[in-house]
Amino acid sequence: MIRARDLVKYYNDFPALDGISFDLEDGAILGIIGHNGAGKTTLLKILAGLIRPTSGTLTVDGIDVVRRPIDLKRQLGYLPEESRLYETMTVDAYLSFFGEIYGMDAAAIRRRRDELLDSLALDAEGKKLGELSKGMKRKVAIARSLIHDPALLIYDEPTSGLDPMTSRFVIDYIRDLRSQGKTVLFSGHNLYQVEEVCDAVMILRRGKTVASGSMHDLREMFGSITYQIHFIVPDGAPFTTEVAHTEHDGLYLATARTVEELNRITATLTAEGAAIERIESQYPTLEEMLVKIGK
């Protein structure tokens, strides 16, 4: 389990982080979002033991990350936003190199490497890393982060710059890692993906946590459910209504914010000759939450 308390990080006089606290259970995915400069990457680097906080405490499975960062790295896989690879090496040689760094023997490296290349659908055919596409390079970087079978994964913008198909593959792969018992923290600008895959989300603004919790918790915090009423008006039917609505290509849309208002609008529309086609529940999205928070 991760336990962070009052993490603060100053760069000169600038507070990149200002009192971040949270807990995360094993086998969960936490998404960290916010506008540029909110402190996401700084927080991930502290969690990965790459930089020291100015103050505060951080433990991962009982390991004091500030005092014992090397012990943390044995069970950590880290993926930075930019995949900086040794481009003159082949995929096999690259993954073997990192396996050796983690003290794995040759047989274990081969077995783990083959498992990862298969699960990532990565067939480099002896190519050097510099010859691979960006999507393939990202998959190699993910394999590198997993070569020693770590329990904790910290991914900074794992789908940044990828085409939609590769991006979808990576997100599905992260979801599968959770099913294997991995704990994952990642930042992302694709908020739909964050909503889709995360058990909990932390929203940062200027180095502070402004909201955190499950998507249900955040939706309750930023606004309740609304109802979208899609309806049509039969050809030739007289239709004049005071119900606020919009129209596009012959389909009309009205919105209700409570069940009572929903019932009132549908009753009014039906009485005035409209036909209700469907009613959809609409929750506030992470994008709408960020807009409300502002920069």
Side-chain angles (χ1 to χ4, degrees):
M1 183 185 80
I2 298 174
R3 179 181 173 89
R5 289 294 179 272
D6 299 318
L7 292 177
V8 173
K9 179 62 180 180
Y10 273 86
Y11 293 111
N12 296 320
D13 294 329
F14 175 72
L17 292 183
D18 190 7
I20 301 295
S21 298
F22 70 93
D23 293 324
L24 184 65
E25 297 295 332
D26 293 340
I29 299 179
L30 172 65
I32 301 172
I33 67 170
H35 297 289
N36 290 336
K40 303 184 297 296
T41 294
T42 295
L43 177 58
L44 292 182
K45 287 184 175 180
I46 289 175
L47 290 166
L50 297 176
I51 59 176
R52 294 171 62 92
T54 304
S55 62
T57 61
L58 174 63
T59 59
V60 177
D61 288 337
I63 297 172
D64 187 322
V65 175
V66 177
R67 296 183 179 182
R68 298 163 52 199
I70 300 301
D71 292 340
L72 170 69
K73 289 179 174 60
R74 294 190 180 99
Q75 57 177 308
L76 169 71
Y78 176 66
L79 182 73
E81 182 174 0
E82 294 295 330
S83 300
R84 301 186 184 278
L85 309 177
Y86 303 149
E87 299 204 344
T88 59
M89 299 178 74
T90 65
V91 173
D92 287 352
Y94 181 76
L95 295 178
S96 295
F97 172 70
F98 278 91
E100 291 169 3
I101 288 177
Y102 286 107
M104 300 169 64
D105 61 46
I109 290 173
R110 284 195 301 271
R111 182 172 60 253
R112 183 64 176 159
R113 182 189 62 207
D114 291 346
E115 290 174 356
L116 291 170
L117 295 181
D118 181 63
S119 65
L120 284 162
L122 182 58
D123 182 8
E125 298 179 350
K127 292 182 180 178
K128 293 181 179 180
L129 295 174
E131 300 171 335
L132 303 181
S133 68
K134 185 169 185 176
M136 292 180 73
K137 287 181 179 179
R138 201 57 170 166
K139 288 184 178 182
V140 172
I142 292 172
R144 179 200 63 207
S145 74
L146 292 164
I147 190 69
H148 57 304
D149 199 18
L152 173 62
L153 300 167
I154 297 178
Y155 287 173
D156 193 355
E157 297 285 352
T159 64
S160 176
L162 300 182
D163 64 83
M165 184 173 295
T166 306
S167 179
R168 164 52 50 192
F169 181 93
V170 170
I171 287 299
D172 288 343
Y173 194 80
I174 290 174
R175 181 189 287 112
D176 187 59
L177 290 173
R178 174 179 53 194
S179 71
Q180 298 173 30
K182 307 291 187 186
T183 303
V184 185
L185 297 91
F186 81 94
S187 68
H189 281 117
N190 188 321
L191 301 183
Y192 173 76
Q193 293 176 348
V194 175
E195 285 190 51
E196 182 183 17
V197 77
C198 291
D199 300 295
V201 177
M202 178 189 302
I203 304 177
L204 300 183
R205 178 178 181 269
R206 298 179 183 176
K208 294 180 178 289
T209 303
V210 293
S212 65
S214 67
M215 283 306 304
H216 174 78
D217 295 334
L218 293 176
R219 286 164 181 154
E220 289 295 317
M221 187 181 308
F222 282 90
S224 58
I225 187 173
T226 58
Y227 304 94
Q228 293 187 338
I229 305 125
H230 299 262
F231 62 97
I232 58 177
V233 179
D235 291 340
F239 181 69
T240 57
T241 182
E242 295 182 357
V243 173
H245 63 279
T246 58
E247 186 269 338
H248 180 70
D249 291 338
L251 185 65
Y252 296 81
L253 172 67
T255 301
R257 300 193 176 278
T258 65
V259 172
E260 290 76 18
E261 186 180 13
L262 170 65
N263 292 335
R264 185 168 59 252
I265 289 175
T266 54
T268 300
L269 292 174
T270 301
E272 294 176 350
I276 307 299
E277 185 178 75
R278 67 183 186 277
I279 298 173
E280 297 177 343
S281 302
Q282 185 74 34
Y283 295 93
T285 65
L286 284 177
E287 183 175 356
E288 291 169 333
M289 296 176 197
L290 280 184
V291 170
K292 285 186 178 181
I293 289 171
K295 295 186 178 182

